[in-house]
Amino acid sequence: MQVGNKSYRIATDIPDRVPVFPLSGALLLPGAQLPLNIFEPRYLAMFDEALSGNRVIGIIQPALEGGEPKGPVEDLCAVGCLGRILSFGETGDGRYVITLGGICRFRLTEENHKKGRPYRVCSIKPFLTDLEPVDDGTEVDRKALLDSFRAYLDANNLEADWSSVERASTVTLVNSLSMMSPYGPAEKQALLEADDIKTRAETLVAITEISLARESDDPDRVLQ
């Protein structure tokens, strides 16, 4: 996995402990990018330290209410995604504007407590398969994905630049739509934890069908 100027190819390329940024509803995926607007003092401190070190942080959601069994860190989801700081800017009013590049997913193993640190650091186990050559998405039902996207736009009176959509690779399309989707934390976590691009695409289509059926008050509605 190439992220910015750094290659991540084997386990030793991945830190075994990372600062974690709990962010509900946020989704970062390997190979994709996530813009962030940082303003809380503890997270400004976290990014200051990351910038002076390996530039890697973990994006993770708070534990889902009524959801998955409690993991080793009870108030956080068990799985998140590592991101490398690709760009950094100061706004002049105390905020940082940052872009993270997704490296690989990880599973929390434990929290490392250190007195005086304003942010959290956890030990992790990376998903090393995410570092392998990117799945080209040939098994994705691209038509079903685009049909669901079009149906969602139509139902919400939205438009898209279809020429750009058609030019995008299937992998880029799946990951971009997953990250930009307006769904809740549980749906975003399901998209993150999907085993591969094909499964992620199928999960996104299923979530969209459920959303459209709810909006139409027709539980039997399916996309054609």
Side-chain angles (χ1 to χ4, degrees), residues 69-93:
K70 299 297 185 183
V73 182
E74 289 196 350
D75 62 338
L76 298 176
C77 285
V79 176
C81 186
L82 293 181
R84 177 178 173 83
I85 300 172
L86 298 180
S87 66
F88 160 79
E90 296 181 323
T91 62
D93 60 1

PDB file of all heavy atoms in Angstrom, residues 69-93:
ATOM      1  N   PRO A  69     -20.635  -6.799  20.559  1.00  0.00           N
ATOM      2  CA  PRO A  69     -20.166  -7.073  21.917  1.00  0.00           C
ATOM      3  C   PRO A  69     -19.001  -6.157  22.275  1.00  0.00           C
ATOM      4  O   PRO A  69     -18.246  -5.724  21.408  1.00  0.00           O
ATOM      5  CB  PRO A  69     -19.712  -8.546  21.831  1.00  0.00           C
ATOM      6  CG  PRO A  69     -20.429  -9.105  20.656  1.00  0.00           C
ATOM      7  CD  PRO A  69     -20.590  -7.973  19.691  1.00  0.00           C
ATOM      8  N   LYS A  70     -18.865  -5.850  23.555  1.00  0.00           N
ATOM      9  CA  LYS A  70     -17.794  -4.970  23.988  1.00  0.00           C
ATOM     10  C   LYS A  70     -16.442  -5.594  23.659  1.00  0.00           C
ATOM     11  O   LYS A  70     -16.190  -6.765  23.915  1.00  0.00           O
ATOM     12  CB  LYS A  70     -17.890  -4.709  25.491  1.00  0.00           C
ATOM     13  CG  LYS A  70     -19.199  -4.037  25.901  1.00  0.00           C
ATOM     14  CD  LYS A  70     -19.336  -2.655  25.284  1.00  0.00           C
ATOM     15  CE  LYS A  70     -20.587  -1.948  25.785  1.00  0.00           C
ATOM     16  NZ  LYS A  70     -20.804  -0.644  25.173  1.00  0.00           N
ATOM     17  N   GLY A  71     -15.543  -4.792  23.096  1.00  0.00           N
ATOM     18  CA  GLY A  71     -14.206  -5.254  22.767  1.00  0.00           C
ATOM     19  C   GLY A  71     -13.232  -4.953  23.891  1.00  0.00           C
ATOM     20  O   GLY A  71     -13.629  -4.646  25.022  1.00  0.00           O
ATOM     21  N   PRO A  72     -11.932  -5.031  23.602  1.00  0.00           N
ATOM     22  CA  PRO A  72     -10.931  -4.789  24.643  1.00  0.00           C
ATOM     23  C   PRO A  72     -10.936  -3.358  25.167  1.00  0.00           C
ATOM     24  O   PRO A  72     -10.488  -3.109  26.280  1.00  0.00           O
ATOM     25  CB  PRO A  72      -9.611  -5.125  23.939  1.00  0.00           C
ATOM     26  CG  PRO A  72      -9.917  -5.011  22.478  1.00  0.00           C
ATOM     27  CD  PRO A  72     -11.338  -5.418  22.327  1.00  0.00           C
ATOM     28  N   VAL A  73     -11.419  -2.430  24.359  1.00  0.00           N
ATOM     29  CA  VAL A  73     -11.605  -1.045  24.815  1.00  0.00           C
ATOM     30  C   VAL A  73     -13.101  -0.778  24.712  1.00  0.00           C
ATOM     31  O   VAL A  73     -13.632  -0.531  23.633  1.00  0.00           O
ATOM     32  CB  VAL A  73     -10.796  -0.054  23.963  1.00  0.00           C
ATOM     33  CG1 VAL A  73     -10.974   1.368  24.487  1.00  0.00           C
ATOM     34  CG2 VAL A  73      -9.312  -0.434  23.960  1.00  0.00           C
ATOM     35  N   GLU A  74     -13.798  -0.849  25.840  1.00  0.00           N
ATOM     36  CA  GLU A  74     -15.250  -1.010  25.826  1.00  0.00           C
ATOM     37  C   GLU A  74     -16.016   0.139  25.183  1.00  0.00           C
ATOM     38  O   GLU A  74     -17.100  -0.060  24.660  1.00  0.00           O
ATOM     39  CB  GLU A  74     -15.760  -1.230  27.251  1.00  0.00           C
ATOM     40  CG  GLU A  74     -15.382  -2.594  27.807  1.00  0.00           C
ATOM     41  CD  GLU A  74     -16.197  -2.949  29.031  1.00  0.00           C
ATOM     42  OE1 GLU A  74     -16.906  -2.066  29.543  1.00  0.00           O
ATOM     43  OE2 GLU A  74     -16.135  -4.111  29.457  1.00  0.00           O
ATOM     44  N   ASP A  75     -15.488   1.365  25.212  1.00  0.00           N
ATOM     45  CA  ASP A  75     -16.250   2.479  24.663  1.00  0.00           C
ATOM     46  C   ASP A  75     -15.878   2.800  23.221  1.00  0.00           C
ATOM     47  O   ASP A  75     -16.293   3.822  22.684  1.00  0.00           O
ATOM     48  CB  ASP A  75     -16.097   3.720  25.540  1.00  0.00           C
ATOM     49  CG  ASP A  75     -14.656   4.212  25.615  1.00  0.00           C
ATOM     50  OD1 ASP A  75     -13.733   3.411  25.370  1.00  0.00           O
ATOM     51  OD2 ASP A  75     -14.450   5.402  25.920  1.00  0.00           O
ATOM     52  N   LEU A  76     -15.100   1.928  22.576  1.00  0.00           N
ATOM     53  CA  LEU A  76     -14.732   2.105  21.174  1.00  0.00           C
ATOM     54  C   LEU A  76     -15.111   0.865  20.378  1.00  0.00           C
ATOM     55  O   LEU A  76     -15.133  -0.251  20.915  1.00  0.00           O
ATOM     56  CB  LEU A  76     -13.226   2.346  21.030  1.00  0.00           C
ATOM     57  CG  LEU A  76     -12.640   3.599  21.696  1.00  0.00           C
ATOM     58  CD1 LEU A  76     -11.129   3.614  21.523  1.00  0.00           C
ATOM     59  CD2 LEU A  76     -13.268   4.868  21.143  1.00  0.00           C
ATOM     60  N   CYS A  77     -15.405   1.052  19.093  1.00  0.00           N
ATOM     61  CA  CYS A  77     -15.594  -0.102  18.218  1.00  0.00           C
ATOM     62  C   CYS A  77     -14.291  -0.907  18.173  1.00  0.00           C
ATOM     63  O   CYS A  77     -13.205  -0.386  18.443  1.00  0.00           O
ATOM     64  CB  CYS A  77     -15.978   0.353  16.810  1.00  0.00           C
ATOM     65  SG  CYS A  77     -17.692   0.921  16.660  1.00  0.00           S
ATOM     66  N   ALA A  78     -14.401  -2.166  17.824  1.00  0.00           N
ATOM     67  CA  ALA A  78     -13.229  -3.037  17.820  1.00  0.00           C
ATOM     68  C   ALA A  78     -12.321  -2.794  16.619  1.00  0.00           C
ATOM     69  O   ALA A  78     -11.123  -3.073  16.673  1.00  0.00           O
ATOM     70  CB  ALA A  78     -13.668  -4.500  17.845  1.00  0.00           C
ATOM     71  N   VAL A  79     -12.881  -2.273  15.511  1.00  0.00           N
ATOM     72  CA  VAL A  79     -12.134  -2.127  14.264  1.00  0.00           C
ATOM     73  C   VAL A  79     -12.148  -0.671  13.806  1.00  0.00           C
ATOM     74  O   VAL A  79     -13.186  -0.007  13.831  1.00  0.00           O
ATOM     75  CB  VAL A  79     -12.725  -3.024  13.156  1.00  0.00           C
ATOM     76  CG1 VAL A  79     -12.003  -2.806  11.825  1.00  0.00           C
ATOM     77  CG2 VAL A  79     -12.652  -4.491  13.568  1.00  0.00           C
ATOM     78  N   GLY A  80     -10.975  -0.187  13.406  1.00  0.00           N
ATOM     79  CA  GLY A  80     -10.842   1.150  12.842  1.00  0.00           C
ATOM     80  C   GLY A  80      -9.927   1.110  11.632  1.00  0.00           C
ATOM     81  O   GLY A  80      -9.624   0.029  11.105  1.00  0.00           O
ATOM     82  N   CYS A  81      -9.466   2.278  11.182  1.00  0.00           N
ATOM     83  CA  CYS A  81      -8.579   2.341  10.020  1.00  0.00           C
ATOM     84  C   CYS A  81      -7.441   3.311  10.301  1.00  0.00           C
ATOM     85  O   CYS A  81      -7.663   4.415  10.813  1.00  0.00           O
ATOM     86  CB  CYS A  81      -9.350   2.786   8.781  1.00  0.00           C
ATOM     87  SG  CYS A  81      -8.368   2.743   7.243  1.00  0.00           S
ATOM     88  N   LEU A  82      -6.214   2.880   9.988  1.00  0.00           N
ATOM     89  CA  LEU A  82      -5.054   3.745  10.140  1.00  0.00           C
ATOM     90  C   LEU A  82      -5.001   4.745   8.996  1.00  0.00           C
ATOM     91  O   LEU A  82      -5.287   4.419   7.840  1.00  0.00           O
ATOM     92  CB  LEU A  82      -3.764   2.921  10.128  1.00  0.00           C
ATOM     93  CG  LEU A  82      -3.530   1.975  11.294  1.00  0.00           C
ATOM     94  CD1 LEU A  82      -2.190   1.260  11.107  1.00  0.00           C
ATOM     95  CD2 LEU A  82      -3.547   2.721  12.623  1.00  0.00           C
ATOM     96  N   GLY A  83      -4.602   5.968   9.330  1.00  0.00           N
ATOM     97  CA  GLY A  83      -4.441   6.996   8.315  1.00  0.00           C
ATOM     98  C   GLY A  83      -3.114   7.702   8.459  1.00  0.00           C
ATOM     99  O   GLY A  83      -2.622   7.931   9.581  1.00  0.00           O
ATOM    100  N   ARG A  84      -2.505   8.032   7.344  1.00  0.00           N
ATOM    101  CA  ARG A  84      -1.269   8.814   7.325  1.00  0.00           C
ATOM    102  C   ARG A  84      -1.610  10.253   6.968  1.00  0.00           C
ATOM    103  O   ARG A  84      -2.405  10.509   6.041  1.00  0.00           O
ATOM    104  CB  ARG A  84      -0.280   8.248   6.314  1.00  0.00           C
ATOM    105  CG  ARG A  84       1.024   9.060   6.182  1.00  0.00           C
ATOM    106  CD  ARG A  84       1.977   8.404   5.200  1.00  0.00           C
ATOM    107  NE  ARG A  84       3.138   9.259   4.937  1.00  0.00           N
ATOM    108  CZ  ARG A  84       4.215   9.319   5.715  1.00  0.00           C
ATOM    109  NH1 ARG A  84       4.277   8.564   6.804  1.00  0.00           N
ATOM    110  NH2 ARG A  84       5.229  10.114   5.392  1.00  0.00           N
ATOM    111  N   ILE A  85      -1.030  11.200   7.679  1.00  0.00           N
ATOM    112  CA  ILE A  85      -1.271  12.613   7.391  1.00  0.00           C
ATOM    113  C   ILE A  85      -0.594  12.958   6.064  1.00  0.00           C
ATOM    114  O   ILE A  85       0.628  12.901   5.928  1.00  0.00           O
ATOM    115  CB  ILE A  85      -0.735  13.507   8.519  1.00  0.00           C
ATOM    116  CG1 ILE A  85      -1.426  13.170   9.839  1.00  0.00           C
ATOM    117  CG2 ILE A  85      -0.953  14.981   8.161  1.00  0.00           C
ATOM    118  CD1 ILE A  85      -0.820  13.880  11.049  1.00  0.00           C
ATOM    119  N   LEU A  86      -1.404  13.297   5.064  1.00  0.00           N
ATOM    120  CA  LEU A  86      -0.894  13.626   3.732  1.00  0.00           C
ATOM    121  C   LEU A  86      -0.720  15.121   3.527  1.00  0.00           C
ATOM    122  O   LEU A  86       0.186  15.556   2.810  1.00  0.00           O
ATOM    123  CB  LEU A  86      -1.839  13.087   2.659  1.00  0.00           C
ATOM    124  CG  LEU A  86      -2.036  11.576   2.614  1.00  0.00           C
ATOM    125  CD1 LEU A  86      -3.001  11.218   1.495  1.00  0.00           C
ATOM    126  CD2 LEU A  86      -0.702  10.867   2.411  1.00  0.00           C
ATOM    127  N   SER A  87      -1.603  15.892   4.124  1.00  0.00           N
ATOM    128  CA  SER A  87      -1.499  17.347   3.999  1.00  0.00           C
ATOM    129  C   SER A  87      -1.956  17.986   5.290  1.00  0.00           C
ATOM    130  O   SER A  87      -2.760  17.414   6.034  1.00  0.00           O
ATOM    131  CB  SER A  87      -2.317  17.868   2.820  1.00  0.00           C
ATOM    132  OG  SER A  87      -3.702  17.668   3.036  1.00  0.00           O
ATOM    133  N   PHE A  88      -1.445  19.183   5.544  1.00  0.00           N
ATOM    134  CA  PHE A  88      -1.665  19.833   6.823  1.00  0.00           C
ATOM    135  C   PHE A  88      -1.652  21.341   6.606  1.00  0.00           C
ATOM    136  O   PHE A  88      -0.791  21.873   5.905  1.00  0.00           O
ATOM    137  CB  PHE A  88      -0.557  19.419   7.796  1.00  0.00           C
ATOM    138  CG  PHE A  88      -0.367  20.330   8.968  1.00  0.00           C
ATOM    139  CD1 PHE A  88      -1.216  20.266  10.055  1.00  0.00           C
ATOM    140  CD2 PHE A  88       0.677  21.245   8.991  1.00  0.00           C
ATOM    141  CE1 PHE A  88      -1.036  21.098  11.147  1.00  0.00           C
ATOM    142  CE2 PHE A  88       0.874  22.080  10.070  1.00  0.00           C
ATOM    143  CZ  PHE A  88       0.008  22.007  11.155  1.00  0.00           C
ATOM    144  N   GLY A  89      -2.633  22.018   7.174  1.00  0.00           N
ATOM    145  CA  GLY A  89      -2.676  23.473   7.086  1.00  0.00           C
ATOM    146  C   GLY A  89      -3.223  24.082   8.361  1.00  0.00           C
ATOM    147  O   GLY A  89      -4.029  23.465   9.065  1.00  0.00           O
ATOM    148  N   GLU A  90      -2.772  25.289   8.674  1.00  0.00           N
ATOM    149  CA  GLU A  90      -3.274  26.036   9.815  1.00  0.00           C
ATOM    150  C   GLU A  90      -4.201  27.129   9.313  1.00  0.00           C
ATOM    151  O   GLU A  90      -3.935  27.768   8.290  1.00  0.00           O
ATOM    152  CB  GLU A  90      -2.123  26.647  10.608  1.00  0.00           C
ATOM    153  CG  GLU A  90      -1.204  25.610  11.225  1.00  0.00           C
ATOM    154  CD  GLU A  90      -0.076  26.242  12.036  1.00  0.00           C
ATOM    155  OE1 GLU A  90       0.441  27.309  11.610  1.00  0.00           O
ATOM    156  OE2 GLU A  90       0.276  25.687  13.087  1.00  0.00           O
ATOM    157  N   THR A  91      -5.287  27.351  10.027  1.00  0.00           N
ATOM    158  CA  THR A  91      -6.307  28.283   9.563  1.00  0.00           C
ATOM    159  C   THR A  91      -6.119  29.697  10.103  1.00  0.00           C
ATOM    160  O   THR A  91      -6.747  30.631   9.617  1.00  0.00           O
ATOM    161  CB  THR A  91      -7.699  27.795   9.991  1.00  0.00           C
ATOM    162  OG1 THR A  91      -7.757  27.765  11.427  1.00  0.00           O
ATOM    163  CG2 THR A  91      -7.980  26.403   9.438  1.00  0.00           C
ATOM    164  N   GLY A  92      -5.288  29.870  11.119  1.00  0.00           N
ATOM    165  CA  GLY A  92      -5.101  31.178  11.731  1.00  0.00           C
ATOM    166  C   GLY A  92      -6.024  31.438  12.901  1.00  0.00           C
ATOM    167  O   GLY A  92      -5.852  32.413  13.629  1.00  0.00           O
ATOM    168  N   ASP A  93      -7.012  30.548  13.105  1.00  0.00           N
ATOM    169  CA  ASP A  93      -7.919  30.702  14.248  1.00  0.00           C
ATOM    170  C   ASP A  93      -7.839  29.507  15.184  1.00  0.00           C
ATOM    171  O   ASP A  93      -8.761  29.210  15.934  1.00  0.00           O
ATOM    172  CB  ASP A  93      -9.357  30.914  13.778  1.00  0.00           C
ATOM    173  CG  ASP A  93      -9.893  29.765  12.941  1.00  0.00           C
ATOM    174  OD1 ASP A  93      -9.152  28.776  12.729  1.00  0.00           O
ATOM    175  OD2 ASP A  93     -11.052  29.838  12.502  1.00  0.00           O
TER     176      ASP A  93
END
